[in-house]
Amino acid sequence: MLESWRWFGPQDPVTLSHARQAGAHGVVTALHHIYDGRVWTPDDIAERMALVKKAGMVWSVCESIPVNSAIKLRNANWRRYVDAWKESLANLGKGGVPVVCYNFMPVVDWTRTNLLFPTAAGGLALRFDMVDFAAYDLFVLKRRAAEESYASDIVETARRRFEAMGEAEILTLETNIIAGLPGGEDSHTRETIRGQIASYDDLSFDDMRANLVEFLREVVPVAAENGVRLAIHPDDPPFSLFGLPRVVSQADDIRTILGAVNDPANGITLCAGSYGSREGNDVVGLASDFAEHIHFAHLRNVTKEPDGSFIESEHLGGDVNMVSLISVLRREERRRLAAGRSDAVIPMRPDHGHLLIDDQEKVVNPGYSCIGRLKGLAELRGVIAALDQFHAEGSLTK
């Protein structure tokens, strides 16, 4: 597997030198400063590529070209944004970027309610608390018909929790949910998010899925023509937020995506933490079922709770059997190599490491500090080495 590292560009406090010292060879980055639907020009891409090469690394994955809401809504402006997206995609391929990860989440990107949740070991983790989210949706945002989105016991628990919150707690919660997290393109205020949510009022789950299919029919041929593998990222978390339709959350969604355009360029990002956050998703089973379509892997872990809450766990802890998952991915890589495929090596990256040691005193992007990801990458590397020895020798004790 190609050990990679997410980097948010020259302003990222975790540098490419740090990534290289952590043992990464691939860089997962994007032109995050160009997020408003403008075309990423060849010069823009070449400038970023030069920085990566200068660090002695390769730009393994672009994560992500923003998919404008006009495309998801398929409104009057969708053609302009689709055409710009396709041009950026073509320019990335011509510029030497082999994989483009993207998502189709409406209004909010990956969402957490607590960015500094204490772990038993003393680290700080990302957490999604369903009751806190409901409290914000119901009693701060006061979204119309919000109560229909939650079980009655969640509503009552959320009411009590909201009543116990001070203004500072409410502001922190709101900032965590809607102010934008690393890699997301949208940052909202309370008023703007109300308007964005309302724009989806007449869009059903089936409508959203149909709009995704139309988007794929537009962009997959461009990817194939320019040597790019598309890898759609699952919804995070993989269930409805704010009553909005989320259509990349489980196996049936993957089958729809792959069936929409039957082309090797049309594939998925296997994000273990995202798929693992939904009750009923068997992440190892998903990886096995759709192995030949996996173009990119996010190897992180979560521990779920009965009400839909979850915490980002240690990379080798949590509900996802990471050893079994990596075994599936390595088996797929060997199959591709035997078939002579050019994409035999799957880029992967550790994701959402805990905030550890003196990183707790630094200003870092939530989930993207250095030490936590370094630790995670080292653990994953060890699993890969052990599995490879077992495969080669038939035993770990020889």
Side-chain angles (χ1 to χ4, degrees):
M1 303 190 77
L2 177 58
E3 296 176 18
S4 301
W5 188 271
R6 194 163 197 188
W7 181 58
F8 293 100
Q11 306 306 313
D12 194 330
V14 180
T15 67
L16 287 176
S17 175
H18 295 150
R20 191 71 185 88
Q21 291 175 61
H25 296 276
V27 174
V28 178
T29 190
L31 305 184
H32 294 292
H33 59 293
I34 307 175
Y35 55 83
D36 56 359
R38 284 178 291 154
V39 172
W40 294 0
T41 69
D43 287 346
D44 297 328
I45 293 163
E47 181 180 5
R48 180 58 53 88
M49 181 70 76
L51 291 175
V52 172
K53 287 183 176 179
K54 185 177 180 180
M57 305 173 79
V58 297
W59 189 351
S60 54
V61 181
C62 170
E63 185 179 353
S64 307
I65 312 174
V67 179
N68 190 274
S69 290
I71 296 172
K72 299 165 191 172
L73 290 165
R74 199 171 170 82
N75 66 21
N77 294 318
W78 80 276
R79 170 51 62 190
R80 174 166 66 91
Y81 286 108
V82 165
D83 287 346
W85 208 95
K86 289 159 65 175
E87 189 171 348
S88 294
L89 175 63
N91 289 340
L92 284 165
K94 292 169 184 174
V97 180
V99 177
V100 171
C101 172
Y102 66 103
N103 74 71
F104 214 74
M105 290 181 257
V107 184
V108 287
D109 207 297
W110 67 280
T111 302
R112 301 293 183 269
T113 57
N114 191 331
L115 308 183
L116 299 170
F117 186 80
T119 69
L124 300 171
L126 302 175
R127 173 176 168 78
F128 178 87
D129 188 297
M130 182 63 78
V131 173
D132 281 348
F133 186 88
Y136 177 76
D137 190 16
L138 289 160
F139 306 116
V140 181
L141 189 62
K142 299 178 182 177
R143 176 174 62 88
R144 182 173 60 83
E147 286 197 20
E148 298 174 8
S149 299
Y150 306 99
S152 58
D153 59 326
I154 293 286
V155 173
E156 289 310 310
T157 305
R159 187 189 311 278
R160 290 193 297 272
R161 188 169 297 178
F162 169 73
E163 290 171 350
M165 288 181 182
E167 285 300 318
E169 291 175 280
I170 293 171
L171 180 59
T172 297
L173 178 62
E174 180 165 60
T175 299
N176 292 345
I177 293 173
I178 71 170
L181 291 171
E185 287 75 44
D186 293 323
S187 179
H188 299 286
T189 66
R190 197 176 300 176
E191 291 308 313
T192 62
I193 199 169
R194 283 195 187 107
Q196 284 286 309
I197 292 169
S199 70
Y200 284 81
D201 280 352
D202 296 326
L203 195 77
S204 69
F205 176 91
D206 289 340
D207 294 333
M208 184 74 165
R209 176 176 272 188
N211 291 349
L212 171 56
V213 167
E214 288 304 312
F215 175 70
L216 292 169
R217 289 172 178 164
E218 290 275 345
V219 303
V220 172
V222 177
E225 182 180 347
N226 289 279
V228 176
R229 299 185 295 279
L230 290 173
I232 192 166
H233 189 285
D235 304 322
D236 186 9
F239 43 76
S240 176
L241 299 181
F242 297 123
L244 296 164
R246 289 192 152 200
V247 296
V248 192
S249 296
Q250 53 190 325
D252 184 58
D253 300 327
I254 299 174
R255 282 189 284 271
T256 297
I257 289 160
L258 298 177
V261 184
N262 183 15
D263 191 289
N266 183 25
I268 65 171
T269 295
L270 197 286
C271 181
S274 294
Y275 282 119
S277 301
R278 182 182 177 114
E279 190 63 41
N281 276 350
D282 173 4
V283 178
V284 177
L286 287 175
S288 183
D289 290 346
F290 301 108
E292 67 177 297
H293 305 286
I294 296 172
H295 295 327
F296 184 30
H298 288 181
L299 299 182
R300 64 178 176 88
N301 220 324
V302 295
T303 299
K304 298 187 294 296
E305 298 169 26
D307 67 358
S309 304
F310 59 88
I311 184 174
E312 305 261 10
S313 307
E314 301 278 353
H315 282 76
L316 302 186
D319 295 338
V320 178
N321 187 325
M322 194 62 69
V323 176
S324 294
L325 177 59
I326 292 173
S327 180
V328 169
L329 296 174
R330 290 294 288 129
R331 182 171 67 242
E332 173 60 16
E333 287 184 315
R334 292 192 294 271
R335 186 194 71 80
R336 294 182 188 186
L337 186 63
R341 282 178 52 167
S342 61
D343 63 339
V345 178
I346 299 171
M348 69 83 161
R349 64 175 179 86
D351 201 8
H352 297 183
H354 288 175
L355 193 60
L356 302 174
I357 314 174
D358 63 347
D359 274 353
Q360 295 182 4
E361 309 303 320
K362 300 174 183 176
V363 176
V364 296
N365 289 318
Y368 291 97
S369 59
C370 184
I371 297 172
R373 286 186 292 162
L374 182 153
K375 176 177 178 285
L377 184 58
E379 292 169 344
L380 297 170
R381 184 183 300 126
V383 170
I384 293 168
L387 288 170
D388 285 352
Q389 180 177 323
F390 181 83
H391 174 75
E393 300 180 0
S395 170
L396 295 180
T397 60
K398 289 183 180 180

